[in-house]
Amino acid sequence: MYLSIFVILQKKLENTPNKTSMSKNLVIVESPAKAKTIEKFLGSDYQVMSSFGHIRDLAEKGIGIDFANNYKPEYVVSTDKKKVVAELKKATKGAEVIWLASDEDREGEAIAWHLYDELKLKDDNTKRIVFHEITKDAILNAIQNPRKIDLNLVDAQQARRLLDRIVGFELSPVLWRKIKPSLSAGRVQSVAVRLIVEREREVNKFEAESAYKLSALFNTTDINGKALVLKAALQQRFTEKKDALAFLELCKKAQFSVADIVKKPTKKSPAPPFTTSTLQQEAARKLGFSVAQTMIVAQRLYEAGNITYMRTDSVNLSSLAIGNSKTEIIAMAGEKYVHTRQFSTNTKGAQEAHEAIRPTYMNVHTIEATSQEKKLYELIWKRTIASQMADAELEKTQIFISISGSKNQFVATGEVIVFDGFLKVYLESIDDEGDTENEGLLPVLKKNEPLEYSEIDAQERFTQKPPRYSEASLVRRLEELGIGRPSTYAPTISTIQNRKYVEKGDRPADKRDFNFIKLKHDKITDTIKSENTGAEKSKLFPTDIGGVVNDFLLDYFPDILNFNFTADVEKEFDNIAEGKIEWTKAIDKFYKKFHPIVEDTLKNSERQVGERILGNDPATGRQLSVKIGKFGPLAQIGTSEEEEKPVFASLQRNQSIESITLEEALELFKLPRQIGDFEDKVMTVAVGRFGPYIRHDGSFYSLPSTDDPMQVTNERAIEIIETKRELEKNRLISSLGENNEIQVLNGRFGPYFTCNKINYKIPKTVEAASLTFEQCQELIAAQPDAGVKKKGFTRKAPSSNKTKK
DNA sequence: CAGTGAGCGAGCTTCCGCTTGACTT
């Protein structure tokens, strides 16, 4: 028996303190991991518990606001917080002093106030404290300097909360009525969708322009007399081919010489330590993580005590962290590599309740964990260390090469690192790297030295279309606009995908021809080459629904969709926080303007289907149009007004009502298509809900994505049918148990077994064919989670208890 | 799994921002 059962040791983050006697002091923080750390600093007189974030929120049923009663909010303890609140309440009974230690920002202040209110705390023994770093000094210092709850700041949070509720819960029903049920709109998500829709249209509208780029290779020698090729580019580009040709003609007879050599020292400085958003971007670029994946891995690192809190907008490091970084850098590279810095945040609306994301202990360079955790940890370690290291010093050299008979010059550029500084450890990646060239060392040359070309070419280059957003670059853009918070970037991206406004996907490269003209040995050759260009991987594309919802909202609610809306209301929230205006007045001002537009839109706007008329069907002369139907985008020949019923066809997955052409739409009506007989039964190709398929004798056979349903031949269809039959035949490996209750099968991801309709994994170390009934039983016992749907990084699922069957 | 393209129509859907789990047949 080689089976070993892995027991997953789950980290217990529960709230019940392991003390028998009540402590005199009760400290409440937001996060259980934080509570654990702080408890160690404070000694036995203090019991530290966690609120697990907000404990109450506006009622979920209805809008949760009493409009008739000066916007009185109806707060309800969230179902998943009932237990936490009960435990906290019990703990407050025995405590002499209650310390509310939630974060020092708008949301944290509100958490403190909700606790105060819900736990019915008393003014005389409740103290509000804050600290920015989890160190003994910072915490003891906080205890020495308690204050009262800042009610103005709480009011600013209430205004934020109600505004979001009003916008979300009044706009969404408009969409249900005018477009489709279950859709949603909100201050953050709708702007995110807008960014993606507008970028897609820019891409579709984009027309590449070309110009001729000239580059030359010159024969030179290095210091030791060894042959070395010098690569240089012409400063000017030619838009016309004839000009490029004329220039090469001129080069044939020209004399080249070194006109000037310019050396310039330059510097590179390290990037600041990670915030949530920059961590998401770098993990995507360097490790290929999705935004949600980064957050899940970071959460585990945080819970294990490896890193500081992972939801932060601050680039600030504690003095302790800076000091420890310095020690590490000296040990690793020496004193001259140290350059400590305190970075400051310039992000709009940043609240800086935490430190930057950094390793808890700078002397831990790497950790033993899963490979993902290890990689992310090392990334964080390097970025933090590098941020406290010296600038890199570079020397940039440009060699200008004159051409007799022309005012133009070739320029060779080289860059050498004089002192590597922080580059020893870390270099930030950039998105969408263009053509980088002429790096590295240049030969030693003298001014006026003649040069001889070995070849010169003129290559047609095209301007690049704007890049589509990736998850991470969308987060960066939202952060720039001050929209959303570190805790919501990942959920927002999930929401707009769950609503089917946006899809993550790939696009293959297009093949493009370009002119390539070469001058060598005084001979000019003119050829056409081709390149692959514009491939996209894991980018965000708007769906038709996304486009229609966006256009509708933009039409009727331009203020909400405005990129500055959040920034503007934030100013208002700041005024509330400073006590300059009452929060209900601010909400009233907004509501009085907003609500009538909602009413008006409900009454006066048309139902939105995104209809586009493409032209007429040449066969019948009837109108051909595309629109969004109940089951997604469709093409339709004829209209419902005509006596003859319209004919419908669904659009393919990669087609969109915005860009489909008349010709492409006409193709759709050629399916279903009979392609011949097999075993005396007819074979039909069609496209269904799950993509293209072949139907034969009552069975369905999916078409691989490499096959075009319009092109599939009789022979190819038979091949597809036979491959599937073969697979089916080999699917069953063995049947186990007296009544065959367990079946070992070959699946898409390798062998697995199924029992009572639940599928179970088979460890890689076990030969599937030799599995016994008993072994399977053990595996079932070891996989209690099998069959349970894995939860992604999404917003709370619609409360399923209410609609219990 | 793979047709559909409509309104006798119940009752439902939805926001953003804090934080981590998960009652048992």
Side-chain angles (χ1 to χ4, degrees), chain A residues 652 654 671 673 675 685-687 691-694 701-721 723:
Chain A
Q652 310 255 26
N654 55 356
L671 293 173
R673 181 169 76 93
I675 46 173
V685 195
V687 177
Y693 65 95
I694 297 162
Y701 304 87
S702 287
L703 237 59
S705 56
T706 41
D707 281 288
D708 179 352
M710 298 310 302
Q711 306 290 329
V712 167
T713 59
N714 198 347
E715 294 72 34
R716 175 68 184 139
I718 294 169
E719 202 179 304
I720 291 168
I721 291 173
T723 344

Side-chain angles (χ1 to χ4, degrees), chain A residues 669-682:
Chain A
F669 291 93
K670 295 187 179 159
L671 293 173
R673 181 169 76 93
Q674 296 202 354
I675 46 173
D677 288 352
F678 175 54
E679 296 170 347
D680 297 330
K681 298 270 168 36
V682 69

